[in-house]
Amino acid sequence: MTSAINLQLGWPSPRLFNAEKLAEATKKTLLDSVNAGASLIYGPDLGYMPLRESIAQWLTSFYSPSSGAISTDRIVITGGASTNLASILQIFSDPNLTKCIWMAEPTYFLACTIFQDAGFAGKMKGVPENKYGIDVGFLRAALEQFESESKQQNGTPGGVKPANQYSKVYRHILYLTPTFSNPSAKTYSIPVRNQLISLAREYDILLISDDVYDFLRWTPEESKSGNAKLAAIPPRIVDLDRATTSTDSWGNSISNGSFSKIVAPGVRVGWAEATPKMILRLSQNGSTRSGGAPSHLTSTFIHHLLVSGDLQEHIDNVLIPTYASRYRLMMSTIKTHLEPLGVRITTGAPYMTPEDSSTVVPVGGFFTYIGFPAELPSADVIAKRAREDYALTFAYGEMFVVKGDETSVERSNADFGNGARLCWAWHESEVIEEGILRLAKLLKTMLG
């Protein structure tokens, strides 16, 4: 029987989990009576203070934001990016007052259910990407049309939440993953990021940015000379917002971070960064006020991984080399066996142009995106044949439409729907190569 290969699953390989160092961190916490008591009690609303401090220092070192060091009051500990997305909606949205949820398209499809849970079924709209990132011109035109139509409607319903408790509710929300995006793998250019900030301030939009893949970056090809250096990571949207926002304002952006991709998904620890005012309010949601900060015990373990340097060492010496090797083999196999069949890699333009030949724009994250030739059947048909005949699973384009948006379905049929997202995080290199070869065999058969 042919062994199953799953290039859809966006999970890290279990062998990459740093279990030994996590066990050491656990012992250091629980075998110390003072630390054990502090970690096993209800956590403070904003989260474990030592971890907030170590995250602020770590992010400052990694991003080198133009506005200077990231202060601890900009950080709150969360239960991971998905859990925190739900928390953000609990505090800063209202099904009556928040008029629309805009989602980068193709979109991370599991996020749609989180928005539906918050009362936004039928209010989600897709915004297509171009080679530089999200199509800001499309978004502006859609906002103008939406607001024009809203003015013609009679009456404005009141919010479902008491206004005295929910003092800031955004009129619009835009959800996106601007660096090594899931699923498109695109990294948005700096001009696009700046344009989004301007648009958000004009239309009262909260930009929710999943910044979960930023730390996993490498050169597209292995450097033979060893002299290649990576271009600077683009500033996060929250960094650009901070640079031109007063410290006492709500701001228009929040960065959603997670340790799931760099420690292990099971730790269920993440963080959010935004203005101190927004962060403090986010920490006051009902479940946190009642039960304390989420994932408090695990947060104390993660703190030890950070301050000891073990986490960064694991990223640099285990995760990045492993993922880089898998990525390069996947790209090589695609170019050798799929591109001659008309398949295209559609991950957009580099987010910047290096100033010198020794600087390389990095690739990274978990995914790439490919487009199938037009003469083939639809991607869902290809995916079905791949599963049934070749024991190969991949995420096909139609999966990434925005739920309830018929125009998203139309754009899918004309563009990204005729493609697939492929992941290198789960399988080892030889299995990834075999998966691409199976796909090539299938496409050859279908092309006749």
Side-chain angles (χ1 to χ4, degrees):
M1 179 180 293
T2 303
S3 59
I5 297 177
N6 192 335
L7 298 182
Q8 173 177 324
L9 194 61
W11 296 2
S13 306
R15 79 163 180 87
L16 298 178
F17 300 155
N18 198 1
E20 182 178 346
K21 292 297 182 181
L22 190 58
E24 290 179 11
T26 303
K27 288 181 179 179
K28 287 179 181 178
T29 299
L30 296 182
L31 296 183
D32 180 293
S33 59
V34 175
N35 287 336
S39 63
L40 292 169
I41 196 69
Y42 290 110
D45 294 346
L46 284 161
Y48 187 53
M49 175 58 85
L51 179 58
R52 293 174 62 212
E53 292 172 341
S54 57
I55 287 175
Q57 294 169 6
W58 179 54
L59 296 179
T60 298
S61 175
F62 183 76
Y63 289 107
S64 300
S66 62
S67 298
I70 297 167
S71 57
T72 305
D73 60 2
R74 291 181 57 85
I75 303 294
V76 65
I77 304 305
T78 73
S82 296
T83 299
N84 192 51
L85 176 57
S87 296
I88 293 168
L89 297 175
Q90 288 173 353
I91 300 300
F92 296 112
S93 75
D94 184 292
N96 283 352
L97 302 180
T98 302
K99 299 303 180 182
C100 191
I101 304 295
W102 305 89
M103 304 181 73
E105 177 194 272
T107 200
Y108 171 52
F109 59 96
L110 294 178
C112 292
T113 305
I114 299 175
F115 288 110
Q116 287 179 329
D117 289 346
F120 292 105
K123 290 188 174 183
M124 296 178 286
K125 296 183 180 296
V127 183
E129 293 177 330
N130 56 33
K131 66 180 181 179
Y132 301 110
I134 202 166
D135 189 335
V136 181
F138 178 99
L139 177 58
R140 173 174 285 281
L143 284 163
E144 289 174 352
Q145 180 179 352
F146 184 92
E147 294 297 351
S148 175
E149 293 173 353
S150 294
K151 290 178 181 178
Q152 300 173 19
Q153 297 176 359
N154 295 324
T156 301
V160 301
K161 302 174 182 178
N164 62 331
Q165 289 180 250
Y166 298 84
S167 56
K168 179 55 184 175
V169 172
Y170 289 85
R171 184 170 176 82
H172 298 274
I173 287 174
L174 172 60
Y175 172 76
L176 67 168
T177 309
T179 301
F180 308 135
S181 183
N182 178 10
S184 72
K186 293 175 181 176
T187 295
Y188 295 7
S189 70
I190 296 175
V192 165
R193 296 169 190 243
N194 278 314
Q195 290 164 21
L196 286 174
I197 291 292
S198 298
L199 203 61
R201 292 173 181 170
E202 183 178 351
Y203 285 93
D204 190 26
I205 307 171
L206 175 58
L207 305 172
I208 303 177
S209 176
D210 267 1
D211 298 321
V212 297
Y213 300 105
D214 298 33
F215 304 96
L216 302 173
R217 52 199 297 267
W218 51 84
T219 57
E221 298 178 359
E222 191 170 6
S223 174
K224 296 180 180 179
S225 65
N227 295 327
K229 61 179 180 180
L230 291 178
I233 191 80
R236 295 169 300 167
I237 290 173
V238 76
D239 295 322
L240 298 171
D241 194 19
R242 174 189 171 204
T244 53
T245 300
S246 61
T247 56
D248 62 346
S249 74
W250 289 104
N252 286 89
S253 65
I254 186 164
S255 174
N256 217 1
S258 175
F259 290 101
S260 292
K261 307 296 187 291
I262 51 179
V263 177
V267 300
R268 306 314 306 146
V269 180
W271 70 92
E273 182 187 341
T275 64
K277 191 173 184 179
M278 184 182 290
I279 288 300
L280 179 61
R281 181 64 187 92
L282 182 60
S283 74
Q284 301 299 296
N285 69 31
S287 59
T288 297
R289 292 291 291 148
S290 173
S295 305
H296 177 59
L297 174 61
T298 320
S299 295
T300 64
F301 309 155
I302 299 297
H303 168 65
H304 280 290
L305 289 181
L306 263 180
V307 297
S308 66
D310 289 337
L311 176 56
Q312 193 60 55
E313 181 180 354
H314 184 68
I315 293 171
D316 293 340
N317 298 330
V318 177
L319 297 184
I320 288 177
T322 300
Y323 290 145
S325 177
R326 294 178 185 177
Y327 164 87
R328 291 166 186 152
L329 180 61
M330 178 181 278
M331 292 299 106
S332 173
T333 311
I334 289 173
K335 290 175 182 177
T336 301
H337 297 279
L338 294 183
E339 286 190 348
L341 302 176
V343 172
R344 298 168 294 110
I345 297 172
T346 60
T347 53
Y351 62 83
M352 55 91 72
T353 302
E355 296 180 354
D356 59 81
S357 59
S358 64
T359 301
V360 178
V361 178
V363 293
F366 273 18
F367 309 106
T368 194
Y369 206 89
I370 59 173
F372 295 119
E375 57 266 34
L376 284 173
S378 59
D380 61 319
V381 173
I382 299 172
K384 185 173 185 293
R385 284 281 305 275
R387 287 193 306 272
E388 294 176 350
D389 298 346
Y390 293 86
L392 172 66
T393 301
F394 57 82
Y396 54 91
E398 187 181 336
M399 296 171 63
F400 304 114
V401 300
V402 175
K403 286 185 179 180
D405 182 3
E406 291 302 320
T407 64
S408 180
V409 176
E410 293 171 3
R411 287 187 293 271
S412 169
N413 292 336
D415 185 25
F416 67 87
N418 192 34
R421 186 196 73 180
L422 306 177
C423 178
W424 54 75
W426 178 248
H427 284 300
E428 301 295 343
S429 293
E430 62 273 13
V431 181
I432 292 171
E433 182 179 30
E434 171 62 21
I436 302 300
L437 292 175
R438 290 184 192 180
L439 181 56
K441 291 178 183 177
L442 170 61
L443 297 187
K444 286 179 181 178
T445 300
M446 299 182 81
L447 287 167

